[in-house]
Amino acid sequence: MAADPALHPHIHTLYSEHHGWLQGWLRRKLGNAFDAADLAQDTFLRILTAPDHTPEKQCDWQLREPRAYLTVVAKRLLANLYRRRSLEQAYLDALSALPEPMAPSPEQQAIILETLQEIDAMLDGLAPPVRQAFLMAQLEGLGYAEIGAKLGVSERTVKRYMAEAMARCILLVA
């Protein structure tokens, strides 16, 4: 990935014409200029590193409606940010419920939180029922029949969900 504007003129133009607008939009959504700046940069980085960032591969609406395109990408990153923060808060809540002698050290806490975020990133992109089935099996220890009953799907579908989730984890670890 090169930063040379000549190699990615459409992204350079997109950035120079819409970065300020996107950062302002994110600042209004987040109420925080620092997070807004980070997410605006992440949005353009995501576009730059996407396999379909060349004009020939972009959809017409991406080129005709750049702000709509940027909004879609930014909303996905915003959802990821909220999910990560929710995960972190759930972890901190669980830690606060532990008796002091059982609480992990700050270093262990950081490692555990990083691991949770890596697992969350691995599962990102799975369809919600696939993700939910995987988490029910791994975190709650539920069997396929129980998961199927809770999700309203057959045990065979749960097996398919689990295979998909496991394949994604193996693919991303390898």
Side-chain angles (χ1 to χ4, degrees):
M1 166 180 45
D4 183 357
L7 296 177
H8 304 288
H10 58 288
I11 294 176
H12 182 266
T13 301
L14 186 69
Y15 184 90
S16 61
E17 292 178 3
H18 301 286
H19 178 265
W21 169 84
L22 179 64
Q23 191 166 339
W25 181 83
L26 286 164
R27 188 174 44 252
R28 287 187 299 281
K29 289 278 185 197
L30 292 164
N32 177 328
F34 298 109
D35 287 339
D38 286 345
L39 275 181
Q41 289 303 111
D42 289 348
T43 299
F44 286 99
L45 183 62
R46 178 72 52 102
I47 292 168
L48 184 62
T49 58
D52 63 345
H53 73 272
T54 59
E56 310 83 55
K57 294 184 181 178
Q58 287 182 323
C59 300
D60 266 353
W61 71 271
Q62 291 172 329
L63 300 173
R64 283 184 289 132
E65 300 292 337
R67 289 186 176 181
Y69 177 53
L70 289 169
T71 302
V72 168
V73 175
K75 280 182 178 180
R76 289 181 185 148
L77 292 171
L78 195 55
N80 289 343
L81 174 69
Y82 288 143
R83 192 176 67 243
R84 277 193 315 274
R85 286 185 177 168
S86 175
L87 179 66
E88 184 173 345
Q89 188 58 51
Y91 172 64
L92 293 173
D93 291 346
L95 278 180
S96 68
L98 288 175
E100 180 103 14
M102 294 183 69
S105 70
E107 294 82 14
Q108 291 170 320
Q109 289 178 24
I111 291 168
I112 292 168
L113 185 57
E114 185 177 325
T115 303
L116 285 171
Q117 289 173 343
E118 287 174 8
I119 292 168
D120 183 59
M122 276 199 268
L123 300 178
D124 186 35
L126 290 175
V130 175
R131 181 184 176 103
Q132 192 172 6
F134 182 79
L135 292 173
M136 286 177 166
Q138 299 302 313
L139 300 179
E140 298 175 33
L142 298 180
Y144 292 1
E146 293 171 294
I147 294 169
K150 286 189 175 211
L151 295 179
V153 297
S154 69
E155 191 172 337
R156 182 181 180 126
T157 299
V158 173
K159 287 179 184 177
R160 188 173 43 82
Y161 287 170
M162 292 300 293
E164 183 180 338
M166 292 290 197
R168 181 170 182 86
C169 289
I170 290 169
L171 176 71
L172 293 175
V173 170

